Amino acid sequence: MKAMEIKPDIFWVGAIDWAVRDFHGYITPKGTTYNNYLLMDEQITLIDTVKHDFSHVTIDNIKNLTDPAKIINLVVNHIEPDHASSLDKIMSLAHDATIFVTDKGKKGLDRHFDTSRWKFKIVKTGDALNTGKYNLIFIETPMLHWPDSMMTYVKEVRLLISQDAFGQHIATSSRFDDEFIECASFSELEDSVIDYYANILMPFGELIKAKIAEVQKLGLEIDMIAPDHGVIWRKDPGGIIQKYLDMANGKSSLSVAVIYDTMWHSTELMTLPIMQGIKDEGVDCKVIKLRSTPMSVAIKEFWKSRGCLVGSPTLNNLMFPSVTEFLTHLRGLRPKNRIIGAFGSYGWGGGAVKEAYEEFKKMKLEIYEPGAQVLYRPSREDNQKCYEFGREFARKVKAYHAKFI
Ligand code: FEO
């Protein structure tokens, strides 16, 4: 897709990746975009590059506006390869450009490229760059979500170029939120925002709140937020900031995600009365089988719900491997403000439910004990116990959820 002007003389020059489905293990059924921006000011300034495979796309977009050799400044907001791996190709054309990057970003680029011939300017929060009619202000955002990360604010047009933050993995020909909502829906866009936050930004809620407060304290008014993935927020940039604050503050729906796997369907059979018990307490419930669901979707569903029940059969006295994988993934995302419990079936020694609780205790989650267990196959009595387990868990979820209202 050709370059598009998003503010006077500021152009999106990125690439749309319609085909990517596995983004370093994060499943992206809707593809993604790699957004970067070119300021056609007195000093031509490029902000970010794109994934290496798409370097020809952004170079074509730039060439349709100017000779890349005329680029004077190149801002690297984030060094992860989906945004910086075209840097060598761009620098081979923009040989005189100075790269504006954080100290940590420079150290990272030194590990990825031969940077010995490149000119650098190390920047920190509050540093500014005048490009002619525009003034750029840099805002470091360390660990949002890499140590090098920063954002660039274009003062005169109140534009925040936010790198990964506020992004979504959606390949679309719509460049703006309102366009996307018109041709798809707000709920589809919101679901993509939640998916992205859950899988990438979940560990950083406190940092997000602190950084948003810092930006507000700097008095930077924001009319548009241009992230490095997905659509640009021009209709309601305040709305996406509030959405991030809500998620960082632990907001979720009053619902339960039952996330399980099964060997010979016994654990699966337990999900039915458990779900009925949850539903009969007036709490919505979604049941997710791990081997039928991409990990990133299971993580998103966990994040959307106030409560989670994890179900696993016992295999060699341990959890089923897919359940272990899910909990390992979840622990790395440092979840908070959710309540969790476990259930499962076993044949002789047992062990899966015990191990699940040991994993839960490594996380900062509210834990509901004891779990529900069934020997071999659920009997009529077991089904009733599972139903009561679901009901009691739902009651606990409602009580816990009330703390967040
Ligand atoms: Fe889109 Fe952290 O890279």
Side-chain angles (χ1 to χ4, degrees):
M1 189 166 163
K2 66 179 187 180
M4 175 178 280
E5 192 170 32
I6 64 166
K7 287 281 186 187
D9 297 325
I10 301 177
F11 293 82
W12 174 89
V13 288
I16 304 171
D17 189 345
W18 298 97
V20 65
R21 293 293 178 270
D22 184 338
F23 192 101
H24 60 46
Y26 174 169
I27 300 304
T28 48
K30 299 173 193 165
T32 194
T33 69
Y34 312 107
N35 301 336
N36 58 337
Y37 304 93
L38 187 71
L39 276 69
M40 291 297 295
D41 207 351
E42 285 167 37
Q43 290 189 17
I44 295 176
T45 301
L46 180 65
I47 300 180
D48 291 322
T49 72
V50 298
K51 192 176 175 183
H52 187 266
D53 320 38
F54 294 85
S55 53
H56 61 289
V57 177
T58 195
I59 287 168
D60 279 353
N61 279 338
I62 294 167
K63 280 183 174 171
N64 283 332
L65 295 165
T66 188
D67 177 354
K70 293 183 178 169
I71 295 172
I72 302 291
N73 309 304
L74 207 168
V75 177
V76 176
N77 277 331
H78 181 28
I79 65 163
E80 195 166 3
D82 52 326
H83 308 297
S85 56
S86 291
L87 198 56
D88 51 351
K89 284 224 169 129
I90 300 278
M91 287 303 286
S92 71
L93 301 170
H95 0 81
D96 289 331
T98 298
I99 297 173
F100 289 72
V101 67
T102 61
D103 181 50
K104 292 258 171 51
K106 165 72 166 57
K107 290 186 169 94
L109 291 179
D110 289 343
R111 300 294 300 170
H112 285 83
F113 302 101
D114 175 3
T115 58
S116 55
R117 288 163 179 254
W118 297 351
K119 289 181 281 183
F120 284 93
K121 168 96 173 126
I122 305 300
V123 295
K124 54 187 186 320
T125 295
D127 286 351
L129 166 65
N130 177 266
T131 60
K133 67 176 178 242
Y134 286 133
N135 285 286
L136 277 51
I137 299 168
F138 303 111
I139 305 157
E140 291 170 281
T141 57
M143 294 319 298
L144 290 177
H145 68 119
W146 274 25
D148 58 277
S149 302
M150 71 170 182
M151 300 182 186
T152 300
Y153 179 73
V154 188
K155 190 175 167 194
E156 288 70 20
V157 283
R158 298 184 287 278
L159 165 66
L160 183 67
I161 298 176
S162 61
Q163 46 98 10
D164 278 333
F166 310 115
Q168 336 88 47
H169 284 310
I170 308 176
T172 169
S173 59
S174 299
R175 290 280 60 79
F176 297 102
D177 53 347
D178 51 307
E179 287 177 343
F180 184 85
I181 291 164
E182 197 173 320
C183 72
S185 67
F186 175 74
S187 59
E188 187 177 341
L189 183 56
E190 186 181 40
D191 192 68
S192 296
V193 168
I194 295 170
D195 186 276
Y196 191 92
Y197 186 100
N199 282 282
I200 297 173
L201 297 169
M202 192 196 297
F204 308 120
E206 292 306 315
L207 282 172
I208 286 166
K209 285 193 280 183
K211 191 50 66 177
I212 289 174
E214 185 185 321
V215 169
Q216 285 167 340
K217 205 169 161 188
L218 287 169
L220 306 181
E221 290 177 37
I222 296 171
D223 273 359
M224 181 183 282
I225 297 177
D228 278 1
H229 296 290
V231 297
I232 294 164
W233 302 93
R234 74 173 172 191
K235 179 171 183 274
D236 187 16
I240 185 64
I241 292 172
Q242 187 58 50
K243 180 81 188 167
Y244 264 50
L245 280 173
D246 287 346
M247 289 191 285
N249 282 319
K251 194 170 179 181
S252 74
S253 64
L254 175 56
S255 60
V256 171
V258 175
I259 298 176
Y260 77 101
D261 219 323
T262 198
M263 288 174 67
W264 289 104
H265 301 294
S266 293
T267 301
E268 189 164 62
L269 286 169
M270 293 175 76
T271 65
L272 303 175
I274 288 172
M275 182 207 68
Q276 192 62 54
I278 294 166
K279 190 67 195 162
D280 287 353
E281 273 301 319
V283 175
D284 195 37
C285 180
K286 191 171 267 190
V287 180
I288 296 137
K289 181 180 176 183
L290 282 166
R291 272 180 299 156
S292 308
T293 311
M295 184 59 64
S296 45
V297 175
I299 293 290
K300 176 183 70 174
E301 295 301 338
F302 166 88
W303 179 245
K304 284 168 83 171
S305 298
R306 182 63 68 199
C308 176
L309 285 174
V310 175
S312 177
T314 292
L315 177 64
N316 298 326
N317 300 113
L318 297 172
M319 289 186 288
F320 201 64
S322 56
V323 182
T324 305
E325 184 190 357
F326 169 70
L327 289 179
T328 301
H329 212 83
L330 187 63
R331 184 152 66 92
L333 291 166
R334 303 201 292 275
K336 291 199 301 189
N337 304 320
R338 303 291 187 276
I339 180 167
I340 197 163
F343 65 95
S345 61
Y346 65 99
W348 43 102
V353 168
K354 180 169 172 280
E355 195 195 9
Y357 278 99
E358 284 166 6
E359 285 299 307
F360 297 163
K361 283 168 188 159
K362 296 174 189 169
M363 299 184 239
K364 289 183 178 168
L365 294 168
E366 186 84 4
I367 296 174
Y368 172 69
E369 288 183 281
Q373 296 194 68
V374 158
L375 177 63
Y376 279 119
R377 204 79 172 161
S379 64
R380 184 182 292 268
E381 292 74 29
D382 288 327
N383 282 337
Q384 185 59 32
K385 281 183 192 163
C386 286
Y387 174 79
E388 295 301 338
F389 174 74
R391 280 202 85 141
E392 184 55 21
F393 183 71
R395 283 193 278 271
K396 291 283 190 267
V397 170
K398 284 194 282 189
Y400 186 61
H401 187 69
K403 296 180 185 178
F404 296 88
I405 295 170

